[in-house]
Amino acid sequence: MAIREVREIGDDILTKQCKKVTKMTFRTKMLITDMLETMYEKNGVGLAAPQVGVLKQIVVIDVGEGPIILINPEITETSGEQTGEEGCLSVPGKWGIVTRPDHVKVRALNQDMVPFEVEGEGLLARAFCHEIDHLHGELYVNKTQDGLHDVSYEPEEETEE
Ligand code: ZN
């Protein structure tokens, strides 16, 4: 297991179409393990394979309800609308306002290459859209309402014990 380097905006790999996974290999399993570890280490709620330099259709997500692994995911249904803040590990220190569907249904393969369906609302729906966009070379920065904003850093107050 290893933390992988997260590619940042400006890196060509983030604009490329990813290939479908055709069979599960030891290497791909290691990649998924590393992606999960990298996502948790960086406090992200999702990570797509191209963000760690691999052009494969693999996404990991955890919005606080446990890990979801999506292989070759496709959005099959959307409804509603939500407008809110979005950020990306590949665009550090920035956020933007993006409108996404509020309810999203996804069809994908699990780690055993067995098809399944998963539904999400709110943050999870947003994460599905954001991460699946990565697999098609799209970043949220092109979908913001009024561009990117800096995350203002407020140092924590020091307390003496
Ligand atoms: Zn992202």
Side-chain angles (χ1 to χ4, degrees):
M1 301 211 291
I3 307 292
R4 301 217 183 182
E5 184 203 343
V6 175
R7 304 297 185 93
E8 293 184 2
I9 188 166
D11 191 321
D12 252 11
I13 203 156
L14 295 173
T15 65
K16 297 208 156 101
Q17 172 68 34
C18 293
K19 288 205 173 79
K20 287 202 170 175
V21 177
T22 52
K23 64 175 186 199
M24 186 51 58
T25 61
F26 178 72
R27 247 174 103 89
T28 304
K29 280 190 177 150
M30 288 300 293
L31 169 67
I32 292 168
T33 305
D34 288 354
M35 283 172 65
L36 283 166
E37 206 177 334
T38 305
M39 173 182 72
Y40 290 126
E41 168 73 19
K42 313 257 177 207
N43 296 313
V45 298
L47 192 68
Q51 291 182 275
V52 293
V54 180
L55 288 172
K56 283 185 178 163
Q57 293 192 12
I58 302 171
V59 157
V60 297
I61 289 172
D62 191 340
V63 295
E65 298 162 2
I68 299 173
I69 294 150
L70 304 173
I71 296 165
N72 304 342
E74 279 175 45
I75 292 174
T76 54
E77 229 177 278
T78 64
S79 62
E81 202 177 86
Q82 58 172 319
T83 298
E85 289 179 21
E86 209 162 304
C88 179
L89 292 178
S90 293
V91 192
K94 303 279 184 190
W95 60 275
I97 300 286
V98 183
T99 298
R100 301 281 195 184
D102 193 45
H103 187 263
V104 173
K105 202 183 263 187
V106 174
R107 189 187 299 134
L109 303 176
N110 68 15
Q111 284 194 89
D112 299 317
M113 300 298 277
V114 176
F116 72 105
E117 273 196 329
V118 58
E119 288 179 58
E121 283 186 343
L123 179 59
L124 184 54
R126 180 177 292 281
F128 284 150
C129 296
H130 178 112
E131 300 308 332
I132 292 170
D133 273 356
H134 272 299
L135 303 181
H136 306 290
E138 286 179 49
L139 294 178
Y140 85 95
V141 299
N142 302 319
K143 297 186 172 182
T144 59
Q145 271 177 14
D146 58 350
L148 293 180
H149 307 279
D150 288 323
V151 175
S152 56
Y153 175 67
E154 286 177 54
E156 275 177 53
E157 270 182 57
E158 281 180 45
T159 51
E160 284 175 32
E161 312 250 327

